[in-house]
Amino acid sequence: MTATADVRPATPRRRPPERNVREHETVRDRLRHLRYRASPQQFFAELFEKRWMEPAIPLAILIAVIVFFSVAAPGFATSANLLSTAAELAEISLICLGMAVVMISGGIDLSVGSMFGLCNMIAILLITVVGLPVVPAILLTLVAGAVLGATNGTIVAYLKARPFLTTLVTLIIFRGVLNLLDLHYSAKTASVFVMDPVWDWFGTGKVAGLPFSFVTLLVVLVIGHIVLSRSRLGWHITAVGASRRAARHAGIRVERVLLISYVFAGALCALAGVFYAARLSSASARVGEGLELNVLTAVILGGISLTGGKGTVWRAFIGAATISLLGKGLLLMDVGGEVLQTVLAVVLIVAVGLDTKWGKNRGKAIQKTYVNPTLVEYGPLPDVRPGSGSPFEINDRLRDAEAIGLGEVEGPEDVIVDSQGRVYCGTRQGWILRFSGPDFSEREVFARIGGHPLGMAFDADENLIVCVGGMGLYSVSPDGKHRKLSDETNRTWVQLRDDSRLRMADDLDITPDGKVWFSEATTRFDMADWILDGVEGRPNGRLLCYDPVTGKTRTVIRDLVFPNGICSCHDGESLLIAQTWLCRILRYWHSGPNKGKLEIFMDNFPGYLDNINRASDGTYWVALNGMRSPAYDLAMRMPTFRRRMMKRIPRDEWLYPSMNHGCVVKVSDAGEVLEAYWDPGGEKHSTITSMREHNGYLYIGGLENNRIGRVELRAGRPEMATTERAGRPATVG
C-alpha cells in the first residue's frame, strides 16, 4: 500500500480505510501506481540473489551441450544412449563428488584416477583370486578406498604436506601398485565371469528404468547436499576451506576435518570402481589413467573454487555431466581423443572465464537492482514552525531532559520501566542494560542476547519480551536468562524470496490474552541497511502474532510499508501500527465485533513514525524518528529519480530522510494531536524511536542516542502510571 495524493488536511485525523481513500483516484493514477508496484526489477534482483543461481553459467553450458549434440550427433538423444550414458555418468560423477569435497575443504586430490583404477582391480581380485562372496568383496573394496583416502588425508592434515605434491606422489604410488597387480594377475582379470545376482545388479540393474548406479548417485547427491549444507561437519568443511586459521580459532579440529574429506573422496572412488568393475567385468592397469585431468576439469567447470570454501555437490554434478555428455557426443560424431582433449581444454578456459565474470558481476547486478523504488505520495506537509498555531509547533520541551546513562549506552532503541521503577534499554552491542537507584546511577548488564534488541514489553509473569533485529523474538526472565521464542513464521509460497525467517523483528506489545503481537519492519533488508527500505518505499513488512500456548508464530497482515511501532489499544481489542515511511498509523482489530478490520487511524504526520505506547490518561505517545522535507517528499513521488540516484552516485551521497530532529507527539484515542515535545536539531535526542510514561515522567530512547532521556510531564496526573504487562488494565491509579 502507498500513501495517496488526495490526503489534504494539515492536521492528522481519523481516516477511512485505504480502499475508500482511493475511490476518487482516476484510472491514470491507478495505472501509475500499478506500474511501479509491478516492476520486474525486483523479481530479477531476488532471482540473482538466490544461491541456486550461482551455477547459472555452468548450467547454461550443460544445456547448450545437450541441445547441440541432440541436433548434431545422430543417436545422442535416443533412450538407449541416454541410459548407457547415465551409467557412465554415475561413475565419473562419484569421483567428481569426492574431488569436490576435498577442494571445498581447501585441498586437492590428483590421485583420484589411480584410486579408481586400483579399487576396480581390488574388487575383481577379491572375487576371482581370493574367492570372497560379492557382498564382502564390495565392502572390503570400499574400506580399501577409504584407507587410500586416509593415506592422503593423514599426510596432508597431520604431516602438513602440500596437497598438490602429496597427491601427485600418491598418484604415482597407487598407479605403480596397480601396474604390479596387473602384471601378476592380468590373465585372471582381463575377463571375469561372476554368476551372482548382486554383481549383476551393480552392473546392469535398473530402478524405475534407470541404472542402479545412477540411482545410487542421486542418493549420494542428496546425502552430500544435506551433509554440506545442513550438518555441523559440512559447515566445518566449508569453514576450513575458507580459512584454516579462522576455523582453528573458532575451535574447529582442522586436521580431523581434512582427514574426513580425503576419506570421503577415497570411498567414493572405490564405489565408482565397484560399479565400473561390475559393468565391464574386467580390470587393467589402464583403467583411470589420465582421469584426474577430466575430473579436475569437470569440478572447476561446475564452479568449485580452487581456493576452497565454496561449492556444492550439485555444482560438481553439473560439471561431471557436462564433461561426460561432451565426450559421448564427440564420440558419436567420430571425433578422435586428441580433439576431445583439446575441446575439453577450450571449454574449461571459456567456462572458468565466464563463471569468474558472472561471479564478479552477479554481486554488482544485485547491488544495482536490489533497491527498487516505488511511488509514494504524501499530503501537504504540516506546518511546524514556531508561532504557526499547529499542534506540531516546534518547542524546546526536551532540551532540559535529564540524562540517564550518559555515554554508557549505544543506541537504546526502546526503553521500558518495570514495576520497581528500574529502567531497561537495549544497546547496539546486543545487551539489555538496567538502570536503578534513586538517580539511576547504578548500571548493570541485565542480559546479553546478541543482535540489536529493539521493541520490549513485560508479560504477566514479569518476563521481558524482546524483538531482536536479525534474530527474532526472545524472552528474558527476571533473573536475566534469555531464551528464543520464535525466529520463523509461515512462508509465502507465491514469493521467490523465502520469507519464513525473521530478518528484522521490530516492535511488539502483549494483548490481555497473553499473545505477543509484533512487527517485522522489512523482509528484504537487514538491520544494517534498514534505511534503504525508506529509499525503496515498498510494502516489505508484516504484522505477526506469537501464541505462547502453542509456541507458534503466524503472519497476520502482509504487504505493510515498514510497520514499526505496535501498541495494544486501551480497549484491549485493537492494535495501532505505525507505518514509518508513509507517516501513517493503522488500526487493526484482533478481537471483538470488528475483528479482522484494518483502517487508517491517523495520516499525514510531519515526520517518520516509530514506536507507539499507551499514556496514563487513555491517550497514546508516538515517536517521530525523523522529519519530512519538501525535497524528500518530492523524491518519493519520483521513483525514476531515486533509481538514477542509486546508479550514478555513491551510496553515502544519496538523498535520505531527515533524521536530525527529535519529536514526541501525544494523540487521543479519536486520532487528534494533543501536544508535541521537541528537541530542535536533535542536540540531545535525535532520531527518537521510543518513549514510555511512568509516574509522571516520560522516558525517551533513540537509535542513535548515547543516553536515555527523562522529562517531567507538565500536564496529566503524576499519580497515574502506565503499565506494560499483559492481562492487566491499561492504567492504574
Side-chain angles (χ1 to χ4, degrees):
M1 63 180 64
T2 57
T4 52
D6 62 340
V7 181
R8 304 295 185 188
T11 301
R13 58 183 177 87
R14 185 185 296 273
R15 300 289 298 175
E18 185 174 9
R19 59 179 179 270
N20 295 333
V21 174
R22 291 190 174 182
E23 286 181 356
H24 302 292
E25 283 186 334
T26 65
V27 174
R28 180 180 179 182
D29 292 334
R30 296 188 180 185
L31 290 176
R32 186 163 173 249
H33 280 276
L34 181 62
R35 169 195 169 190
Y36 290 108
R37 187 72 183 275
S39 173
Q41 177 178 320
Q42 183 171 341
F43 170 80
F44 286 109
E46 294 183 353
L47 180 65
F48 290 154
E49 191 190 29
K50 304 297 288 185
R51 287 192 62 185
W52 43 261
M53 280 297 294
E54 291 182 0
I57 297 299
L59 183 61
I61 294 175
L62 173 60
I63 295 173
V65 167
I66 295 174
V67 172
F68 174 78
F69 286 115
S70 297
V71 176
F76 179 85
T78 62
S79 59
N81 178 66
L82 293 178
L83 289 175
S84 173
T85 303
E88 299 173 10
L89 172 60
E91 294 160 10
I92 188 174
S93 294
L94 289 171
I95 303 173
C96 288
L97 293 183
M99 174 74 87
V101 172
V102 171
M103 290 177 61
I104 293 172
S105 71
I108 193 170
D109 193 347
L110 300 179
S111 66
V112 290
S114 297
M115 285 195 294
F116 168 71
L118 183 56
C119 290
N120 170 58
M121 176 67 74
I122 291 173
I124 296 294
L125 290 177
L126 288 175
I127 295 174
T128 59
V129 177
V130 180
L132 285 177
V134 170
V135 174
I138 292 175
L139 295 177
L140 283 177
T141 302
L142 296 178
V143 172
V147 171
L148 296 176
T151 303
N152 288 331
T154 301
I155 298 173
V156 171
Y158 293 97
L159 300 182
K160 311 299 181 184
R162 295 184 179 275
F164 185 90
L165 294 177
T166 298
T167 55
L168 181 61
V169 171
T170 55
L171 176 154
I172 299 173
I173 296 174
F174 297 158
R175 181 63 59 180
V177 174
L178 176 59
N179 287 331
L180 288 175
L181 292 175
D182 184 63
L183 182 64
H184 288 85
Y185 301 103
S186 59
K188 296 183 179 181
T189 59
S191 182
V192 179
F193 297 96
V194 181
M195 303 299 293
D196 188 283
V198 175
W199 190 253
D200 292 338
W201 182 257
F202 269 76
T204 59
K206 288 182 172 58
V207 177
L210 296 175
F212 174 64
S213 58
F214 189 77
V215 174
T216 304
L217 169 65
L218 296 179
V219 173
V220 172
L221 282 170
V222 173
I223 294 175
H225 171 73
I226 294 174
V227 170
L228 281 180
S229 63
R230 296 292 187 270
S231 73
R232 186 182 299 273
L233 174 61
W235 302 334
H236 287 180
I237 290 174
T238 303
V240 169
S243 173
R244 291 190 187 181
R245 177 179 297 180
R248 199 181 305 277
H249 289 167
I252 298 175
R253 299 176 65 177
V254 174
E255 290 77 13
R256 186 176 67 176
V257 170
L258 290 173
L259 177 61
I260 292 175
S261 300
Y262 280 96
V263 169
F264 187 69
L268 286 181
C269 287
L271 181 59
V274 169
F275 281 120
Y276 185 85
R279 182 168 61 90
L280 298 181
S281 293
S282 65
S284 72
R286 301 297 302 274
V287 174
E289 193 172 50
L291 184 62
E292 51 276 340
L293 178 61
N294 288 352
V295 171
L296 187 60
T297 301
V299 173
I300 296 176
L301 178 62
I304 307 297
S305 174
L306 279 170
T307 59
K310 179 182 178 182
T312 65
V313 294
W314 301 107
R315 300 187 73 165
F317 172 71
I318 290 174
T322 303
I323 295 300
S324 181
L325 293 176
L326 184 62
K328 196 62 175 286
L330 292 175
L331 181 64
L332 291 174
M333 296 179 66
D334 296 325
V335 176
E338 297 80 5
V339 177
L340 174 60
Q341 294 299 322
T342 303
V343 171
L344 287 178
V346 172
V347 169
L348 176 62
I349 293 173
V350 173
V352 170
L354 290 176
D355 193 43
T356 302
K357 196 76 172 177
W358 164 248
K360 290 181 179 179
N361 290 282
R362 174 175 167 268
K364 294 180 181 178
I366 294 173
Q367 182 179 2
K368 288 185 176 296
T369 61
Y370 192 77
V371 182
N372 184 24
T374 190
L375 176 65
V376 178
E377 295 179 310
Y378 299 106
L381 187 63
D383 193 350
V384 299
R385 293 173 299 176
S388 64
S390 166
F392 294 114
E393 182 178 339
I394 291 179
N395 53 59
D396 59 357
R397 292 183 177 183
L398 299 182
R399 282 281 175 85
D400 298 327
E402 174 189 351
I404 299 175
L406 179 62
E408 297 180 327
V409 296
E410 293 184 25
E413 197 273 350
D414 196 10
V415 294
I416 193 168
V417 187
D418 67 10
S419 57
Q420 301 180 41
R422 296 174 296 187
V423 178
Y424 299 75
C425 72
T427 71
R428 195 170 287 114
Q429 295 93 336
W431 305 341
I432 295 179
L433 300 182
R434 180 166 66 187
F435 294 90
S436 58
D439 55 356
F440 301 101
S441 59
E442 299 177 14
R443 172 188 177 273
E444 61 180 314
V445 178
F446 177 62
R448 301 175 188 267
I449 296 182
H452 194 147
L454 301 176
M456 300 184 292
F458 283 107
D459 66 11
D461 297 322
E462 299 290 337
N463 297 306
L464 184 60
I465 312 301
V466 187
C467 284
V468 184
M471 295 176 60
L473 189 68
Y474 279 71
S475 173
V476 185
S477 63
D479 60 358
K481 295 181 180 179
H482 65 272
R483 63 184 179 93
K484 180 178 68 176
L485 297 180
S486 176
D487 63 354
E488 61 182 357
T489 183
N490 49 304
R491 179 177 179 177
T492 309
W493 292 105
V494 297
Q495 290 186 0
L496 185 63
R497 165 182 285 277
D498 182 1
D499 60 354
S500 61
R501 302 291 291 185
L502 302 180
R503 297 171 67 100
M504 192 175 168
D506 198 335
D507 192 31
L508 68 114
D509 208 347
I510 304 174
T511 49
D513 58 2
K515 293 181 179 179
V516 181
W517 295 80
F518 65 104
S519 63
E520 185 174 25
T522 174
T523 60
R524 300 191 70 232
F525 299 93
D526 294 317
M527 187 66 195
D529 295 322
W530 64 272
I531 193 69
L532 297 182
D533 194 274
V535 177
E536 188 175 76
R538 288 187 173 274
N540 301 321
R542 53 190 173 178
L543 174 69
L544 306 105
C545 180
Y546 169 78
D547 189 344
V549 176
T550 62
K552 300 293 183 180
T553 298
R554 62 185 176 91
T555 302
V556 180
I557 305 177
R558 304 183 190 275
D559 300 331
L560 295 175
V561 177
F562 210 86
N564 202 327
I566 300 294
C567 179
S568 178
C569 294
H570 293 282
D571 57 23
E573 297 181 349
S574 59
L575 298 168
L576 296 183
I577 308 170
Q579 290 189 286
T580 298
W581 310 127
L582 297 187
C583 306
R584 164 190 297 172
I585 300 176
L586 302 178
R587 191 167 197 165
Y588 172 71
W589 272 262
H590 56 81
S591 59
N594 293 320
K595 183 177 180 179
K597 184 178 180 181
L598 178 68
E599 67 177 4
I600 297 176
F601 174 69
M602 297 179 69
D603 204 349
N604 199 40
F605 278 83
Y608 306 103
L609 310 179
D610 212 288
N611 288 3
I612 307 176
N613 286 306
R614 294 182 297 277
S616 60
D617 56 358
T619 59
Y620 303 93
W621 295 104
V622 182
L624 272 61
N625 62 26
M627 305 308 298
R628 288 166 51 187
S629 66
Y632 201 76
D633 279 12
L634 179 62
M636 294 301 284
R637 296 198 299 269
M638 303 170 64
T640 304
F641 162 78
R642 305 202 307 279
R643 187 174 293 113
R644 290 176 179 174
M645 172 186 71
M646 292 183 295
K647 290 182 178 180
R648 296 185 180 183
I649 63 176
R651 176 171 167 175
D652 58 353
E653 297 180 9
W654 289 0
L655 180 64
Y656 289 106
S658 173
M659 297 292 180
N660 60 347
H661 288 272
C663 182
V664 175
V665 178
K666 190 175 186 181
V667 301
S668 69
D669 193 56
E672 299 174 344
V673 179
L674 302 177
E675 57 181 330
Y677 290 72
W678 282 82
D679 180 10
E683 295 182 8
K684 294 184 178 180
H685 296 286
S686 63
T687 319
I688 293 179
T689 51
S690 65
M691 69 275 105
R692 301 274 181 168
E693 180 186 341
H694 184 81
N695 285 342
Y697 287 90
L698 196 64
Y699 296 83
I700 301 167
L703 189 61
E704 303 297 331
N705 290 346
N706 65 346
R707 73 193 75 190
I708 297 172
R710 181 173 183 258
V711 60
E712 185 175 4
L713 298 176
R714 297 184 179 181
R717 292 178 291 170
E719 72 277 12
M720 301 286 283
T722 301
T723 63
E724 301 295 340
R725 292 157 188 81
R728 300 183 184 179
T731 59
V732 295

